[in-house]
Amino acid sequence: MTKRPIIIDTDPGQDDAVAILLALASPELEVLGITAVAGNVPLPLTQKNTRIVCELAGRSDIKVFAGCDAPLHRKLITAEHVHGQTGLDGPEMPDPTMPLQDDHAVDFIIDTARATDGVTLCPLGPLTNIATALQKAPDIASRIREIVLMGGAYFEVGNITPTAEFNIYVDPEAADIVFKSGIPITVMPLDVTHKALTTQPRVDAFRNMGTPIGEAVAAWTDFFNRFDMEKYASPGAPLHDPCVIAYLIKPELFNGRHVNVCVETSSELTLGMTVADWWGVTDRTPNAMFMGDIDADGFFDLLTTRIASL
Ligand code: BDR
Ligand code: CA
């Protein structure tokens, strides 16, 4: 089997952690490296959390890089209210012993894109590292096979403001650069992720694996369930970021439209909104596959089968 080479760009975050585990459990994918960015919590914690997750998976060989510690032009906004003070609140996890790579994440992305035939980028947080790489080395755009990202929303509107999703809102200028890059983009917006809910039977399936990894995933989902179930009065929390990795493995789980997506970068009221031309009412050129639906049972089947294999 030819493995698909990917770079995961991430701000763990419990759902980022599950996404990383899913990727490491999937023989279809070759994780060339994981780049951390400031987002859910500041960079010193996201790079540390990334290494904690790799070690949990028994993969201290994975190269982890620290990237940008702040958005391109704005102050960092974080989400401890969702993810806890560490970003990975829930189970007690030991500090990592595997090293952080010396290179900057942006340089790793550039060098890898130049050296690899058709790398896929998987951003799970604010798009600062990706946009910085594209600004520093515009030649890499034509080397990247696809960007599959979690971010934005259309019908489901916002989770950090009434109209904006967190990852896009934190660094809208970076998102604007990415959506204008000409690289094929697939988007997992809130419209999809709010259908991928960690209901009690699904959390139980992780816990019932009887493995340290299954227990950690159950404890993480228990932790963010408390916040999201209260906020949305739903039977579970959206498991956002693993949708990106699941799409690489089983794209048939998702449904969407190839449409134009623009990012609002100036309005105070709707900053960070992803304006998706779902009904084709403009003549703007489609630039992204904007997903709208997911086979949630199929998604959780995939997730539990793969995580159980770790
Ligand atoms: C996104 O924001 C973060 O809190 C999650 O990790 C996810 O990437 C959802 O809006
Ligand atoms: Ca994330």
Side-chain angles (χ1 to χ4, degrees):
M1 182 198 305
T2 318
K3 289 173 180 267
R4 181 168 180 168
I6 68 169
I7 297 174
I8 300 175
D9 186 70
T10 182
D11 64 336
Q14 293 88 351
D15 61 322
D16 302 73
V18 180
I20 292 168
L21 292 175
L22 177 60
L24 295 180
S26 295
E28 300 88 344
L29 304 176
E30 183 185 7
V31 181
L32 300 177
I34 307 184
T35 52
V37 68
N40 286 323
V41 284
L43 184 68
L45 287 171
T46 58
Q47 58 87 349
K48 175 181 167 187
N49 291 345
T50 303
R51 290 182 293 134
I52 287 175
V53 176
C54 290
E55 283 190 0
L56 176 68
R59 293 298 304 274
S60 48
D61 59 302
I62 298 285
K63 290 182 178 160
V64 175
F65 301 82
C68 301
D69 62 1
L72 296 185
H73 305 299
R74 295 171 191 273
K75 277 177 99 168
L76 178 64
I77 294 164
T78 52
E80 286 87 354
H81 59 293
V82 183
H83 300 276
Q85 285 308 310
T86 67
L88 267 191
D89 278 19
E92 282 293 316
M93 305 291 276
D95 279 351
T97 56
M98 65 183 276
L100 180 67
Q101 299 296 309
D102 290 336
D103 287 353
H104 193 282
V106 167
D107 293 325
F108 172 72
I109 292 168
I110 293 169
D111 294 346
T112 308
R114 284 178 176 158
T116 311
D117 267 342
V119 68
T120 295
L121 305 183
C122 304
L124 311 177
L127 289 156
T128 321
N129 285 346
I130 311 296
T132 306
L134 289 168
Q135 280 186 318
K136 201 172 165 189
D139 60 289
I140 65 170
S142 63
R143 306 271 319 149
I144 295 167
R145 169 171 165 185
E146 188 178 4
I147 297 177
V148 184
L149 67 91
M150 191 280 135
Y154 183 57
F155 293 105
E156 194 70 27
V157 289
N159 62 356
I160 184 79
T161 74
T163 57
E165 180 278 329
F166 178 80
N167 289 341
I168 306 295
Y169 181 73
V170 170
D171 200 342
E173 285 77 15
D176 185 48
I177 289 169
V178 170
F179 277 95
K180 287 179 177 160
S181 67
I183 300 166
I185 296 175
T186 296
V187 185
M188 295 293 161
L190 297 181
D191 306 82
V192 165
T193 67
H194 279 211
K195 292 172 187 148
L197 298 178
T198 54
T199 58
Q200 196 56 51
R202 290 168 177 165
V203 175
D204 291 344
F206 291 124
R207 186 155 280 126
N208 292 340
M209 288 171 191
T211 64
I213 294 179
E215 182 52 45
V217 171
W220 283 328
T221 48
D222 276 347
F223 182 84
F224 66 71
N225 266 355
R226 105 224 165 277
F227 174 83
D228 280 338
M229 286 169 75
E230 193 177 315
K231 180 173 173 188
Y232 300 113
S234 58
L239 196 54
H240 307 281
D241 294 337
C243 292
V244 165
I245 306 299
Y247 171 77
L248 300 177
I249 304 162
K250 274 196 156 190
E252 64 273 20
L253 293 173
F254 301 90
N255 245 302
R257 290 189 189 181
H258 194 231
V259 297
N260 179 273
V261 180
C262 292
V263 179
E264 177 57 63
T265 54
S266 55
S267 158
E268 209 174 297
L269 198 57
T270 60
L271 184 71
M273 185 175 186
T274 44
V275 181
D277 187 6
W278 189 258
W279 301 112
V281 294
T282 72
D283 56 7
R284 295 196 281 258
T285 309
N287 60 346
M289 187 69 194
F290 201 82
M291 293 301 179
D293 213 353
I294 178 175
D295 168 358
D297 285 332
F299 167 72
F300 276 95
D301 282 350
L302 174 72
L303 203 52
T304 43
T305 312
R306 294 294 169 98
I307 301 258
S309 75
L310 279 173

